[in-house]
Amino acid sequence: MPMDPAELADRLGRWSAGRGPLYLLLAARLRRLVDEGELRPGTALPPDRAFASALAVGRGTVVAAYEQLRVEGRITRRRGSGTRVAGPSRPGPREATGAPVFLHLLEPRDDDVILLACAAPLAPPPILLAAYERALSRLATVTDDIGYHPTGHRRLRQAVADHYARRGVPTEPEQILVTNGGQQALSLLARAFVEPGGTVLVEAPTYPGALEAFREQTTFLRTLPVGLDGFEARVRTPGRRPELAYLVSTHHNPTGAVLPTPARRRLAAAAADADVPLVDDEVLAHLAFPWRQAPPPLAAFGETVVSVGSLSKSVWGGLRVGWIRAARPVIDRLARLRAVHDLGGNLPAQLAAAELLPQLETLCEGLAADRQARHDHLRAELARRLPRWQVPAVTGGNTLWVRLPHGDGDSFAQTALRHGVAVLSGSGLDASGGSGEFVRLHFLAAPETLTEAVRRLATAWHAYGGGSGRDDTPAPRSMAV
């Protein structure tokens, strides 16, 4: 069977952001995938029309790109057998991630493209420099420490434990494993709990990095609505018990939803009764807007809950410090697994994080009003220029979950990219195969950048076919989060 057109479009990443004819840009990106072994010999490529539809370009663009690669000897095209990568079919290395959220990080940046796909702070706050200064002073006094701490430096583990205690979840340092960010935490949990071919229960949609971490284990992903609604019935059904369940309970990525306290209590109890490890991704938990109080952590309602945290969204992504909070036997198991792959994280960063954590709530509260102002500004600009887009407000987090009035996020994302804006299409965040009509936008950029991004999106929407009079009057914004 030919490769799925949408999957190949995702793996192409920002292929149309360069200069020159589209067919040459497309041929260049396909050439790179072939030469680097990501498209292995014998791989059947999508038919012209289907691929053109997924890329939101004319069929002629795909035909010309394929012809260029055929002349170079990189692909073969035969009537009746389709288009294939040249050479005999043979086993190859594991394919790299196709998640657009990661491709935007892996590829060289075009400075003319406004990146609304990866939602993280755009610069380190001044408080981080002060934390490093204190940490380096402390580091200067170390005389009997070789620097290998697979479970994390004791000082940081204590700071994380105290952080949970302040939130109403008594925690010992032995219940904390420090990781190189939240993404490593998810990868460790996938390796620890899920056998190849096992099942993980996730929300649809959800954080795409989690989907990639679970898929790396050759996992079957099963979905429930946001909040894992229906979890109790699912795990009680014979033969449908997952090995792990994952959710983002507070300021959900991407919808911004916050799971109410009664639902948290029921979910934690059901997971404990079914003996299913329940992973709560708390990376966004501290990003509430002013005067908004988040419910207690999910871990407050059950010891089987495994919490994942990180400073990447609340402080800065360049500070690669995250953690896992769980029962001590789980932490011991994860520590042994982590030691095989990584003898420990960066010690100065951990000491700086230990200085920061007691001030984390104050830092987030100080930035909350500005984040809400940017959220409001982006929604206002979208309402002004693209009034038929459904853009529900959120109460915290970093992203808006936008429903397009027609078309699909995959093809529109490519059109938007050609007009200088990178957005994340909804299908890459939904393991059920749904959410195709959505795109995810972050609102962390400066107001003037958000204004320009929306101007480009409006131009892209017109080019996509959305500006034919259907956007002249607002649509009802009834989608709840």
Side-chain angles (χ1 to χ4, degrees), residues 438-449:
F438 288 89
V439 294
R440 194 193 76 174
L441 312 175
H442 79 70
F443 47 80
L444 299 180
E448 59 270 21
T449 301

Side-chain angles (χ1 to χ4, degrees), residues 173-225:
E174 290 75 19
Q175 292 178 263
I176 302 298
L177 174 75
V178 176
T179 62
N180 291 324
Q183 191 64 33
Q184 186 186 55
L186 294 175
S187 295
L188 285 171
L189 289 166
R191 292 187 192 128
F193 285 106
V194 187
E195 295 291 332
T199 300
V200 175
L201 194 60
V202 299
E203 299 168 291
T206 192
Y207 167 54
L211 300 180
E212 288 299 306
F214 299 140
R215 284 170 176 151
E216 184 69 16
Q217 286 298 107
T218 321
T219 299
F220 290 104
L221 298 176
R222 300 290 181 260
T223 61
L224 285 173

